[in-house]
Amino acid sequence: MFARLTIQEIVGCANGVGTVGRVEKPEDPIPQRLRVLPSRLINQVAMSANRLVDQALAETGSRRYHYALLAALEEFGPASQAALGRRTGIDRSDIVATVNELAEREFVERNPDPGDRRRNIITVTPAGVQWLKELDRLLSQAQDELLTPLSSAEREQLIALLTRIADRHSASH
């Protein structure tokens, strides 16, 4: 016959450790070793950032790839799909799908390259530029929500530090 045990008997007394093990509580602190690992902290912030950005863009039926392509086209001008992929880090098959989606919404135009008919040149339309401005506004709000605990100076410092790290690791690939 099994004895009935209380929670305190199962998990132990004041220190919360018993023979059955430790019951995790939401208020349990994160181990210090984890709290000081930059890779873990960056990953946790990235997950929050991705969630906020995805939510902001979802309101408009847009995705991060849409924003990346429109931003690249607006900043650098018309480009081949291959050049867009290199500039944005988006895989070739995803570039094709994203260009198709943006073309359906008349945010970009795709025309054959006069110098090489096998290649398409993608150009942002005036409607695409306007859409990019709307996405900029939404993403600015998401950035503000993400970085709420930081002052303007701290935000600039964080961006500078993350840029240095990102540049270092993208240069090594």
Side-chain angles (χ1 to χ4, degrees):
M1 180 157 264
F2 296 109
R4 289 186 175 244
L5 299 173
T6 67
I7 294 292
Q8 289 79 15
E9 291 170 320
I10 293 171
V11 297
C13 342
N15 67 2
V17 177
T19 57
V20 176
R22 177 152 167 64
V23 174
E24 294 295 323
K25 300 175 190 169
E27 66 271 14
D28 281 345
I30 296 170
Q32 184 62 22
R33 281 186 171 135
L34 298 180
R35 291 184 59 81
V36 298
L37 285 175
S39 57
R40 181 178 182 277
L41 293 168
I42 289 169
N43 188 52
Q44 286 197 297
V45 172
M47 288 188 302
S48 295
N50 287 336
R51 180 182 44 78
L52 289 168
V53 167
D54 288 346
Q55 287 172 350
L57 294 176
E59 294 176 20
T60 66
S62 295
R63 297 179 298 115
R64 283 182 263 163
Y65 284 176
H66 295 153
Y67 182 78
L69 287 188
L70 290 173
L73 289 167
E74 199 271 337
E75 184 170 338
F76 298 113
S80 69
Q81 293 175 173
L84 285 171
R86 287 189 301 275
R87 282 196 175 123
T88 60
I90 300 173
D91 185 75
R92 185 178 12 182
S93 62
D94 292 326
I95 287 284
V96 172
T98 303
V99 167
N100 288 342
E101 292 165 3
L102 292 171
E104 285 176 18
R105 296 171 77 174
E106 298 182 353
F107 294 148
V108 299
E109 292 176 346
R110 177 183 353 196
N111 294 301
D113 182 340
D116 183 352
R117 293 271 179 208
R118 297 168 296 169
R119 189 167 72 164
N120 287 315
I121 297 295
I122 312 303
T123 307
V124 65
T125 65
V129 172
Q130 289 305 309
W131 190 247
L132 179 60
K133 289 178 184 176
E134 174 62 13
L135 297 180
D136 281 336
R137 185 185 67 75
L138 293 171
L139 289 180
S140 178
Q141 291 172 352
Q143 303 308 304
D144 285 344
E145 185 175 341
L146 177 70
L147 301 175
T148 295
L150 303 180
S151 69
S152 290
E154 289 171 325
R155 290 175 186 206
E156 289 176 19
Q157 183 180 21
L158 176 65
I159 291 167
L161 292 170
L162 290 173
T163 299
R164 235 168 68 199
I165 294 168
D167 288 350
R168 162 65 168 83
H169 290 282
S170 65
S172 65
H173 287 146

